[in-house]
Amino acid sequence: MRGRHLLKPLPLLTPKPPSRPPAAHFRARAAAHPPTPRRAPLAEPDVGISRFASSIPGIRGALKQRCSDFVVHEVSRDGALVRLTSFDLPDGEESGDNAEDGDPDAAANPSRALESFRLLCGEADYDALRGFLERVSEGGDGNLSPIILSADSDKAHRSEVHEFIKRNFKFLNTDTVEHSDGIQKCIRVRLGSGPRGGKGRNRRGMDSSGWRDDKPFDSRGSTSWPYHLGKFLRFHLYKENKDTQEALGVIGKMLGVQPRSFGFAGTKDKHAVTTQQVTLFKVYASRLAALNSKLVGIRVGDFSYAKEGLTLGQLRGNHFAITLRNVIAESADVINAAVNGLSKNGFINYYGLQRFGSGSVPTHFVGAALLRGEWRRAVSLILGTRVHYKWHGDVDATLRGMPRHLTVERAILQRLKKYPGNYLQALMAIPKTLRLMYVHSYQSYLWNHAASMRVEKYGISQVVEGDLVYKTGSSLGEATTTDTFDDGDDSHANSPEMELSCKTLPEEMIQSVKLVDSEDLLKAVYSFEDVVLPLPGSETLFPGNEVARIYHEIAKKDGISLIESAHGIKDFSITSMKGGYRRVLQRPIDFEWDLMTYTNDNTPLVPTDLDILSETQSSETNQPLSDGTCSCPSSDSRLQASLDTSGPTIEASSVETKSIGISDLSPEKLAVKLEFTLPASSYATMAIRELTKTSTLAACQKTLNG
């Protein structure tokens, strides 16, 4: 049975004195009632998630029993589903076709390549490179210092040397460094995944010959690039049970490129099968395609070249195929009612739990400390219980024992080592995208509480005077949420190192809104679907009814003013952000559902992109990645429904759904498969919460899965 519903869619960082001093009682309350780190996981009511869009009874089912039960396909800006459909190279590029593939004879015979290098660079550089390669072959790659070739003022010759090493020694990376006189230049050579420095440096970053060796290795890709190709390789990233940054980190390490070389529109769930667009600066498709035979749980394909790279927020939404297994309900009618209720009534458009992190300290706690200007407390909260710096202050010892993947914590401690006691400087060591995320998390916390109050006090059946609505005829598309967690993953740690490659962090879009007045009510111009609530900022309005009170009450309790800043640091101030608006109610777009039966919990219920490819191709790269545990939606069409909601609404009563009789329910296990699209600012887990009337807390889901 199937139902379908198309809906309308760094200079010196010293705090500046505030223009107006904050009220004394704000400071007093902050000192008396600082946020306390939580050891237990956040519960939904802790972040304002407490209401439902309808009172229709939910159905019980296991979410994410397998990663393939939660499938996400990005929806690109042109409305197309991003799918993995091909491993072919772009037109005009074949394997071995570009400069990076090198001379196969030289690659098979390193001695021949070295002799060619002697002719190109001379005896001294030949000896240096040969010695370096010998140390590599002896297993010294774990602690090898880079080598620096002779001075070379000829840029064209340097380019030729860069390309020669790229062609013939693919495991080596090169870049150009300059002498301490700032004039002469030379080429530096290192292992592709080796350390960023060497033992031969003195404290000024120079080796014994006077060449500077403290310049970071760049990630510019090829030093020469065909003029007819766009500088960015665009590809589709397919992954299973890995978050976006983890997958790109694996690829980057294999290619020897830095994380900032990648661009993507949004972070996808870890415990899922997902496909999304990614761009990579100046890397040939053949190099990336060659990794498919080595990657585990990851595939790349659908290659093309583009003039511009992707940045955060450049997507229309996400298409989900979610399977609830072990579905239990009192009757078939209850299943029908619950699913059709989600389609008809939608769900409260809350920010999900993953918005606030899953570590010992929620991100909105950090945001509150930043808004108050409590730099030391914010640093302590971010470091959390995973490091012991705050107990004995030994930065060096803490850094030595800290895992490399804790990039945020490491950045803070390294800055504290350089500027002891300067906690603001330490905070500014965090990439801007992440710094802003903490304040945005606090805005989301306020929004959730306001949405609950609006629904509790006035219901969802009608607009009331003082509501904020998008004006009739205004553009209704919503901007991406600030951290673009597009799914229901609860695995994100408190330190959000996932966003390190994003260039900017967009604020919520400022829309054309108005306060509903008595004339609007009389004319019945607006419905509850038009109602929005603000994420506080300098350019946003508050509702003209009781809902506005909750914003100020919660902020006041946390020692925060929403109308004046306690300091002059813009990144940590709500009043320096424009703010934005967010719909209170969201309905799933292009909604479809199926009721299925199965007997084996390990049986994939729908094919993945990779499964579909395997039907027509039988190469090694097309084999299942994780023992057949993955599944994804079978639809391969472009998204027809617009992600804005300016189109006509089809009433739920017109949706055709086959009624399920009790006799149809066999002793086999039941599964409900849902397919729908959401704007990038909405959370699929909140839709599932509405359907099941069950918490999305990980511990609760594990109980259901058990």
Side-chain angles (χ1 to χ4, degrees), residues 89 93 98 100-101 166 170 173 254-257 282-291:
L89 298 179
E93 182 184 345
N98 58 65
E100 297 196 352
D101 289 308
K166 272 183 175 290
K170 296 183 180 182
N173 280 352
M254 295 174 75
L255 292 175
V257 301
K282 283 189 175 181
V283 171
Y284 289 103
S286 56
R287 287 192 66 198
L288 195 57
L291 301 182

Side-chain angles (χ1 to χ4, degrees), residues 374-448:
E374 298 175 356
W375 315 129
R376 180 171 183 170
R377 179 166 181 77
V379 167
S380 178
L381 290 171
I382 294 171
L383 294 181
T385 58
R386 287 183 291 181
V387 298
H388 56 277
Y389 167 78
K390 60 183 179 180
W391 283 286
H392 57 72
D394 189 341
V395 175
D396 287 327
T398 305
L399 282 171
R400 284 195 298 270
M402 183 180 296
R404 303 293 301 182
H405 71 273
L406 298 181
T407 53
V408 172
E409 289 88 342
R410 295 185 67 86
I412 287 176
L413 289 174
Q414 286 165 348
R415 187 65 62 88
L416 280 176
K417 181 179 178 181
K418 186 175 182 180
Y419 300 101
N422 193 331
Y423 296 98
L424 177 57
Q425 277 282 1
L427 290 165
M428 301 308 285
I430 305 172
K432 186 174 182 178
T433 56
L434 305 186
R435 298 200 304 266
L436 293 175
M437 187 205 71
Y438 294 118
V439 175
H440 285 299
S441 178
Y442 188 78
Q443 289 174 303
S444 305
Y445 171 74
L446 294 177
W447 191 97
N448 277 2

Side-chain angles (χ1 to χ4, degrees), residues 511-531:
Q511 298 285 359
S512 180
V513 301
K514 64 162 292 181
L515 290 170
V516 173
D517 55 31
S518 57
E519 185 176 349
D520 295 323
L521 296 178
L522 186 63
K523 295 180 179 179
V525 176
Y526 299 102
S527 70
F528 185 71
E529 289 184 54
D530 301 310
V531 175

